[in-house]
Amino acid sequence: MSEKKQPGVWDGFKAFLMRGNVVDLAVAVVIGAAFTNIVNSVVKGVINPLVGAIGTKNLDSYSSCLKSPCTGSGDHATGIRILWGSVLGATLSFVITAAVVYFLMVLPMAKYLARVEARRKAKEGTHEVLEVTELEVLKEIRDTLVAQRGSGHTRD
């Protein structure tokens, strides 16, 4: 009796790690984390000062008071504040991230894939034209042979 050895947990784990999807995902997470630092630096170093030209440099300080009196900050704050500056900063970070990802990654990749697909279709079209031409030639040969038989060519 020969029994097949079941793969061990370690073998399954190695196979899982070696799949392309897991490695690609890990690379994406690492690059995404590094990219987040760049975007946050752009927001703090460029966007916030531009907003600060018309107000304050720190977007987190923008707020509205929902229930008066709104005094103090942190644990000693009174009243109910809506911190819409924090939401604005996060929204700007998201929009910048989305724009960079779209214009520097998604759009060029889509254009590249469209060119590759157009080339593939052009090759298929050329191949198809050749096949149609060969088919037409064969039909003409068949029609000529049928015409020769039907025109009364008989052997004496």
Side-chain angles (χ1 to χ4, degrees):
M1 289 171 87
S2 66
E3 292 182 24
K4 288 188 176 181
K5 185 179 177 184
Q6 293 290 335
V9 174
W10 182 248
D11 293 332
F13 183 66
K14 284 190 331 190
F16 170 74
L17 288 179
M18 291 306 179
R19 276 199 273 168
N21 300 3
V22 175
V23 174
D24 291 344
L25 183 61
V27 169
V29 168
V30 170
I31 289 176
F35 186 67
T36 299
N37 290 333
I38 293 171
V39 170
N40 288 338
S41 296
V42 168
V43 169
K44 288 180 182 171
V46 177
I47 303 297
N48 286 354
L50 290 175
V51 172
I54 43 178
T56 179
K57 186 176 177 181
N58 186 1
L59 290 177
D60 292 338
S61 66
Y62 287 109
S63 65
S64 297
C65 187
L66 190 62
K67 183 176 178 187
S68 296
C70 287
T71 58
S73 63
D75 293 337
H76 302 292
T78 60
I80 299 174
R81 289 183 192 253
I82 306 238
L83 303 173
W84 58 269
S86 298
V87 175
L88 178 63
T91 303
L92 287 173
S93 293
F94 172 76
V95 169
I96 290 170
T97 303
V100 169
V101 166
Y102 179 75
F103 289 112
L104 295 182
M105 295 177 193
V106 173
L107 191 61
M109 183 58 80
K111 287 183 179 180
Y112 171 75
L113 291 176
R115 282 196 311 259
V116 168
E117 184 67 18
R119 287 183 194 144
R120 186 186 65 79
K121 288 201 181 226
K123 280 185 178 179
E124 281 182 3
T126 304
H127 189 265
E128 193 172 292
V129 167
L130 289 175
E131 286 179 2
V132 169
T133 305
E134 290 173 4
L135 185 61
E136 289 175 358
V137 169
L138 290 172
K139 285 181 182 178
E140 287 177 13
I141 293 171
R142 179 199 64 201
D143 293 343
T144 304
L145 289 173
V146 168
Q148 285 177 354
R149 284 186 195 153
S151 65
H153 287 294
T154 58
R155 293 185 184 182
D156 294 321

